[in-house]
């Protein structure tokens, strides 16, 4: 597992259950009063996608570049811990197509869902 | 409950937005600042900072930080286009990362609310790190107006 970068530390990201990244609630994640900033949730989902691809590649020399991300916001993010799980739809030679779900207390009630394309530059 | 109208004087508007941004915890954490605005657009800045880095080997900042910048700029553009505060929420936002932001440079994010309906505001925008002709990111999305 690669170490988490400074931006992940800023968000308070840690490894949760297997395959799950958790963003521990902190006051500096708040956007409008009583709600997480959508950008913080997007950041969590991007990191989950990156980590999933990095793990699946098992290639230390490959570098990953985000091509794009689309985030659907489904519910307000409450001031509590958030979780994200990435599913790799396809791992190609050059591109990984990834889906990410984000939730809080109840995994069946998603707060956001994202799709990402990640460019893989193999060393 | 009626929401206050935004001040129409440019200088007062700038001070108003500066204070507004400073009061938002996550924007303070990322260092996002007010930059400029027009009739239906808003521009914010994201100065380079070590805690934003996602790629320690190159010093390139996280795409997630740019997403936050653009989501916030787009939300501001909606308020500017409305001319008053209405509760709003991002419905969806797509961000294309055109190239890595140059380490050490401030990223500017300008978003435009190009269509406003009663319930939905449509936004688009670009981020650059000094030269608007060479953007680092492009966004398109929609916001819901959740009241009013």
């Amino acid at each position: 597992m690669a170490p988490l970068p400074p931006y992940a530390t800023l968000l308070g990201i840690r490894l949760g259950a297997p395959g799950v990244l958790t963003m521990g609630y902190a006051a500096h994640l708040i956007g409008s009063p009583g709600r997480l900033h959508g950008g913080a949730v997007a950041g969590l989902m991007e990191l989950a996608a990156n980590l999933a691809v990095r793990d699946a590649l098992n290639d230390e020399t490959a570098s990953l570049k985000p091509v794009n991300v689309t985030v659907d916001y489904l519910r307000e993010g409450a001031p509590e811990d958030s979780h994200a799980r990435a599913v790799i739809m396809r791992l190609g030679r050059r591109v990984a197509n990834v889906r990410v779900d984000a939730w809080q207390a109840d995994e069946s009630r998603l707060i956001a869902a994202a799709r990402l394309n990640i460019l893989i530059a193999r060393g | 409950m009626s929401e206050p109208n935004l001040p129409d004087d440019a200088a007062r508007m700038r001070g108003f937005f500066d204070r507004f941004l400073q009061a938002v915890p996550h924007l303070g954490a990322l260092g996002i600042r007010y930059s400029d605005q027009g009739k239906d657009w808003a521009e914010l800045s994201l100065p380079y900072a070590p805690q934003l880095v996602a790629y320690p080997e190159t010093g390139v900042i996280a795409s997630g930080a740019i997403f936050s910048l653009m989501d916030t700029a787009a939300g501001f553009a909606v308020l500017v286009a409305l001319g008053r505060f209405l509760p709003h929420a991002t419905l969806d936002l797509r961000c294309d990362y055109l190239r890595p932001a140059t380490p050490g440079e401030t990223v500017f994010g300008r978003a435009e609310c190009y269509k406003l309906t009663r319930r939905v505001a449509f936004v688009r925008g670009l981020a650059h790190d000094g030269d608007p002709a060479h953007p680092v990111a492009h966004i398109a999305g929609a916001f819901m107006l959740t009241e009013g």
Side-chain angles (χ1 to χ4, degrees):
Chain A
M1 185 69 69
L4 294 172
Y7 175 67
T9 306
L10 173 70
L11 292 185
I13 303 267
R14 61 177 189 268
L15 294 167
V20 174
L21 271 194
T22 292
M23 179 169 73
Y25 172 69
H28 72 269
L29 300 176
I30 291 292
S32 48
R35 279 162 51 177
L36 295 186
H37 195 287
V41 177
L44 166 67
M45 292 194 288
E46 286 204 21
L47 289 164
N50 241 20
L51 205 60
V53 174
R54 164 105 14 240
D55 280 356
L57 278 175
N58 197 22
D59 176 358
E60 293 287 317
T61 63
S63 63
L64 305 180
K65 290 179 181 168
V67 178
N68 51 37
V69 57
T70 305
V71 180
D72 288 306
Y73 289 98
L74 308 175
R75 291 182 176 84
E76 287 183 6
E80 55 189 67
D81 290 0
S82 307
H83 314 281
R85 176 185 283 113
V87 175
I88 299 174
M89 295 185 282
R90 179 171 182 270
L91 184 63
R93 274 197 49 76
R94 299 178 186 83
V95 172
N97 312 89
V98 187
R99 213 172 56 209
V100 187
D101 288 342
W103 69 94
Q104 294 189 312
D106 181 353
E107 190 170 351
S108 69
R109 289 175 60 82
L110 299 182
I111 60 167
R115 281 176 296 112
L116 298 94
N117 295 307
I118 297 174
L119 195 66
I120 303 165
R122 297 182 190 261
Chain B
M1 194 179 79
S2 70
E3 300 289 341
N5 286 343
L6 297 179
D8 48 10
D9 172 73
R12 283 177 61 219
M13 188 80 112
R14 172 177 292 271
F16 180 82
F17 278 150
D18 269 335
R19 287 191 299 278
F20 183 88
L21 285 181
Q22 283 164 20
V24 177
H26 194 54
L27 304 185
L30 296 175
I32 289 176
R33 305 290 306 271
Y34 177 78
S35 173
D36 201 0
Q37 67 175 85
K39 187 167 67 70
D40 57 0
W41 59 266
E43 185 181 270
L44 305 179
S45 69
L46 176 70
Y48 186 81
Q51 65 267 27
L52 302 178
V53 168
Y55 305 90
E57 63 281 10
T58 57
V60 170
I61 65 168
S63 51
I66 292 173
F67 191 99
S68 289
L69 171 71
M70 298 312 290
D71 182 33
T72 308
F76 259 76
V78 173
L79 290 183
V80 167
L82 285 167
R84 63 197 169 117
F85 269 105
L86 283 180
H88 62 284
T90 315
L91 181 61
D92 80 326
L93 193 67
R94 173 198 170 105
C95 188
D96 289 297
Y97 299 112
L98 309 177
R99 63 175 178 85
T102 308
E105 298 296 332
T106 293
V107 178
F108 295 89
R110 181 183 288 205
E112 170 197 10
C113 176
Y114 67 91
K115 174 68 180 175
L116 203 51
T117 72
R118 204 165 66 81
R119 285 278 171 219
V120 181
F122 297 90
V123 296
R124 60 189 170 201
L126 287 169
H128 69 84
D129 56 8
D131 180 0
H134 292 98
V136 299
H138 172 271
I139 58 133
F143 283 70
M144 286 297 297
L145 306 177
T146 50
E147 271 175 39

